Structures are given as structure tokens and as C-alpha cells.
Amino acid sequence: MATTMINSTIAGLNSTTTYSTVFEEVSKYNVHLNIAEKLWASWYLWMQNDVLATGLMSFVMHEVVYFGRSIPWMIVDAIPYLNKYKLQNQKVPTWREQWECAALVLLSHCTVELPQIWLFHPIASYFGMEYGVPFPSLGKMAMQIAIFFVMEDAWHYWFHRALHYGPLYRAIHKLHHTYSAPFGLAAEYASPIEVMLLGFGIVGSPIIWVCLTHDLHLLTMYAWIILRLFQAIDAHSGYDFPFSLRHILPFWAGADHHDLHHEKFIGNYASSFRWWDYCLDTEAGLEASKKRREKKLAEIRAKKAQ
């Protein structure tokens, strides 16, 4: 890794050295690094096991972001005034429902997602992922994350749509539709098979990218995961505020898009964007149904007129 370039004095630190001591040494000899880069390099040097260091950091990051982002939505559900922004305001989840959901999600994180998190480092590193310092530029990170959003959205659309096929729905996807009015914590409330299948779009997109380009940094992966978790949790929040992103970016799916999917149990299969459902005529809701009906009637009239 790139941190091997850090002053050789650091390499002599023994296993009893504290993290703060490593950080002091890294800071002393590497003034060109910013504070985040020094903290990052110190972590890997202190751990002395790159796979373990990435695995622990990745799991903790995932849990902090997932539950940290879900808590504000739990608070929103507890404020009656904000109920006017809830898409299905007659269905507010109870505290018991939310805690039961959280327990199953946490179990899934520890049993299903943890092995995938642990395997990511050796697999991605094999194909050329970097995880040293300095960090990549913000411009490069933004470009790659935008590509990952597009790649994952395509994967999610087709496999999510397939999971609504009768036998697959009953065997795999039905659990996720336990709540017809979703809430933030329910974003990853799903069967182990679904977690692995749809999760591949999230983790697999960067792996495919690094296979093709040999240009990916672990920090970019973390930024992508954080943004994707925010998107998934917000899409399941059940709330559509005037400042929600979909009012700024019309092609952004948002909570209104996915809430209809849970309410109607069909249509609106994409995760982040609206174009797949629009182009393939799988939009959910009364307006979309009306358009399809009018289109069908027009086709029937055209045939009669021939």
C-alpha cells in the first residue's frame, strides 16, 4: 500500500505501540499529509493487518451510517406536525415495529453482510484497488461515484423486477414487503438471498470498475456506500418534503417513487433514478396506470379504424 512510503522509522514500531503514538510519528515525518490522511495511515500502520483494518473500519462505518441515518426518521415519525409530509399518513409505524425491524436488520448485518464486507478488501485489492495515502481528488471521486450510481441502478432495476415474479417473490422478496408503508429502518429488511443479490450491485459495481480501469481508492468506495445508504434509507422513509432531492433533480427517484412501490406491490423497481421505469413502462401509481389505459384504448381504436 502507499503508506509503505511513510518514513521507515514508523515500520519499527512494535505491537504494544498505541494508536496515538503511531499518529504522532506519522504526523512528525509526513507534514505533507492532511489530518484525515494522517489518521487513515496511522490506523493501517497501527493495525499491522490491512484486511483486518479495512474489515473493522468498514463494518463500523456501515452500522454507524445505517442506524445513524435511520434515527432521524424515527424522530420524524414521533412528531405529529410532520405527518402532513408523510406519503401514507394513515400508516405511522409503531415503536415496536421499528425495534423489531432494527433487530432483524442488525442480525442480517452480522451474519449475511459481515462476510461480504470482510471479503471486499482482498478481492478489490487483487484487482488493483488502492487504500493508501494521499487520497484521490474530490473530482475523481465524484465522477466514479456518479458512474456507480448509474451501474447499481441498472442492476437493481432488473433484479428487483425479477424478484416480483411469482415464485421468486414468495420465496425471497415477500419479506421486504412486510411493510406496505415503509420507514427508514426497513431499507435492508430483507431475506439473506435478497441482501446478497441486490447487494452485489452496490459492492460489485466498484469491483467491475476497478477490474476494467485499475483505478479505485477505498475512500471512494466508502463515500459511495455512505451515499447509497442515505439514498436507500431516505427512499424508504415514507416522507416527501418540499426540499427533498427529487424536487431539485426530476430524474431522482426519491421516497415518493419507492413508497408507491410498497403501497402497490408492483412497478417503480429502480433504486435511484426514474428513467428505467419510465422507458420500460413500469411506473406505479394512478397517473401511470391512466396513461397506460389511454395508450391501450388508443391502440384498440387505431386497429378498429383500419
Side-chain angles (χ1 to χ4, degrees):
M1 71 184 276
T3 45
T4 56
M5 297 173 64
I6 291 176
N7 193 283
S8 58
T9 305
I10 309 299
L13 296 172
N14 59 51
S15 59
T16 61
T17 305
T18 64
Y19 175 77
S20 60
T21 302
V22 176
F23 177 73
E24 288 174 7
E25 291 295 312
V26 169
S27 301
K28 186 189 304 182
Y29 294 104
N30 298 274
V31 294
H32 62 288
L33 299 177
N34 62 43
I35 184 66
E37 291 168 337
K38 291 173 184 176
L39 290 167
W40 181 282
S42 300
W43 168 253
Y44 278 96
L45 288 167
W46 180 62
M47 287 297 294
Q48 298 183 33
N49 184 315
D50 294 345
V51 175
L52 181 62
T54 299
L56 285 173
M57 189 163 54
S58 300
F59 184 74
V60 171
M61 180 272 292
H62 184 271
E63 299 312 293
V64 169
V65 173
Y66 187 87
F67 290 104
R69 183 57 182 166
S70 297
I71 289 172
W73 291 117
M74 296 174 70
I75 296 171
V76 168
D77 277 325
I79 302 175
Y81 174 77
L82 298 176
N83 189 252
K84 62 183 179 180
Y85 297 110
K86 187 166 177 59
L87 293 158
Q88 298 183 61
N89 57 19
Q90 75 284 6
K91 299 177 183 178
V92 178
T94 64
W95 284 106
R96 180 175 179 177
E97 285 177 325
Q98 300 215 43
W99 287 116
E100 287 177 348
C101 175
L104 188 141
V105 168
L106 182 59
L107 178 63
S108 176
H109 287 178
C110 294
T111 57
V112 180
E113 295 190 30
L114 184 57
Q116 298 176 64
I117 289 172
W118 222 263
L119 287 171
F120 175 79
H121 181 102
I123 294 173
S125 296
Y126 174 80
F127 289 111
M129 181 187 73
E130 291 289 336
Y131 54 99
V133 290
F135 293 151
S137 68
L138 290 176
K140 177 185 280 191
M141 290 176 63
M143 180 271 291
Q144 292 178 348
I145 290 169
I147 292 171
F148 298 159
F149 263 110
V150 173
M151 291 174 68
E152 189 281 333
D153 186 67
W155 175 275
H156 192 100
Y157 175 86
W158 287 105
F159 278 86
H160 186 191
R161 184 173 177 177
L163 287 176
H164 275 264
Y165 169 66
L168 293 179
Y169 178 84
R170 290 189 293 273
I172 300 173
H173 193 51
K174 187 176 181 180
L175 179 63
H176 185 66
H177 278 275
T178 299
Y179 307 105
S180 59
F183 47 92
L185 279 167
E188 292 185 356
Y189 186 86
S191 73
I193 297 174
E194 179 171 348
V195 170
M196 290 187 289
L197 184 63
L198 295 183
F200 183 80
I202 300 171
V203 178
S205 295
I207 291 177
I208 292 171
W209 172 263
V210 75
C211 283
L212 296 173
T213 66
H214 304 291
D215 182 16
L216 177 68
H217 194 281
L218 181 60
L219 184 67
T220 305
M221 178 68 179
Y222 280 175
W224 152 240
I225 292 294
I226 290 170
L227 290 173
R228 180 63 180 86
L229 283 172
F230 269 54
Q231 185 279 327
I233 293 165
D234 291 357
H236 286 82
S237 69
Y239 287 87
D240 185 39
F241 292 104
F243 51 80
S244 294
L245 186 57
R246 69 108 175 175
H247 296 292
I248 302 169
L249 301 175
F251 55 83
W252 187 254
D256 70 312
H257 184 268
H258 198 67
D259 203 273
L260 266 177
H261 172 77
H262 275 262
E263 183 182 7
K264 305 300 181 182
F265 291 90
I266 193 168
N268 288 6
Y269 300 114
S271 57
S272 300
F273 306 111
R274 296 176 183 261
W275 50 60
W276 282 105
D277 287 294
Y278 176 80
C279 292
L280 297 176
D281 200 21
T282 54
E283 292 180 296
L286 293 174
E287 186 177 342
S289 296
K290 182 181 177 182
K291 287 180 180 178
R292 280 192 288 270
R293 187 164 55 251
E294 289 174 350
K295 182 180 178 181
K296 192 171 182 179
L297 287 171
E299 289 174 353
I300 292 172
R301 292 192 194 100
K303 284 182 180 179
K304 287 182 177 179
Q306 290 177 352

